[in-house]
Amino acid sequence: MASTQGHKDLKVFQRAYDRAMKIFHSSKDFPKEERYSLTDQLRRSSRGVCTNIAEAYRKRHYPKMFVSKLSDSDAEVAETQVWLDFAHDCGYISSQFHRESHLDYSQVGAMLGSMMLNPECFTPTAPGKQE
């Protein structure tokens, strides 16, 4: 039986985690006066995408709770995109980084949407699924 890492095996988690780390590293250069506002909010929301996916995975036995946590993650996607807009418009991130981040989060949002529409594919009892 293959070893699984749970939520870490999900492509949506991997993509969101990778982007959150890129945001973390890029935000190190934000001005000090943004430390307790934009920097913290952007880091928190980007990490929130990941943490809500992990929580959803643990609740996959209960489809309504699973979908609810995925919805929370999707809301964090939208919040992160707004903070990225602020960071870009304030001149803290490049247009390229802004575009790439928005694209990644749009794809994460689409993946979350698909998961919310098909929660039965993620339940441990789904055909072909192994714990």
Side-chain angles (χ1 to χ4, degrees), residues 73-121:
S73 183
D74 192 46
E76 295 285 353
V77 165
E79 181 180 345
T80 301
Q81 288 178 314
V82 171
W83 289 120
L84 286 163
D85 291 344
F86 278 114
H88 176 261
D89 293 347
C90 290
Y92 304 149
I93 60 174
S94 70
S95 293
Q96 180 179 347
F97 187 85
H98 182 254
R99 271 191 309 277
E100 290 170 356
S101 297
H102 264 275
L103 177 61
D104 273 348
Y105 281 116
S106 292
Q107 291 170 345
V108 166
M111 294 166 87
L112 292 169
S114 178
M115 292 171 76
M116 286 186 272
L117 289 173
N118 301 289
E120 67 280 354
C121 295

Side-chain angles (χ1 to χ4, degrees), residues 29-89:
D29 296 329
F30 287 10
K32 284 187 177 187
E33 65 266 16
E34 293 288 6
R35 178 175 295 146
Y36 299 109
S37 54
L38 181 59
T39 306
D40 284 349
Q41 292 292 346
L42 179 56
R43 288 176 179 179
R44 184 200 55 75
S45 65
S46 67
R47 291 170 179 167
V49 176
C50 304
T51 58
N52 279 294
I53 292 168
E55 289 180 40
Y57 186 83
R58 287 298 188 123
K59 295 184 178 198
R60 69 196 187 284
H61 296 275
Y62 312 98
K64 288 181 181 180
M65 293 175 81
F66 177 72
V67 170
S68 176
K69 291 308 294 182
L70 292 176
S71 178
D72 291 345
S73 183
D74 192 46
E76 295 285 353
V77 165
E79 181 180 345
T80 301
Q81 288 178 314
V82 171
W83 289 120
L84 286 163
D85 291 344
F86 278 114
H88 176 261
D89 293 347

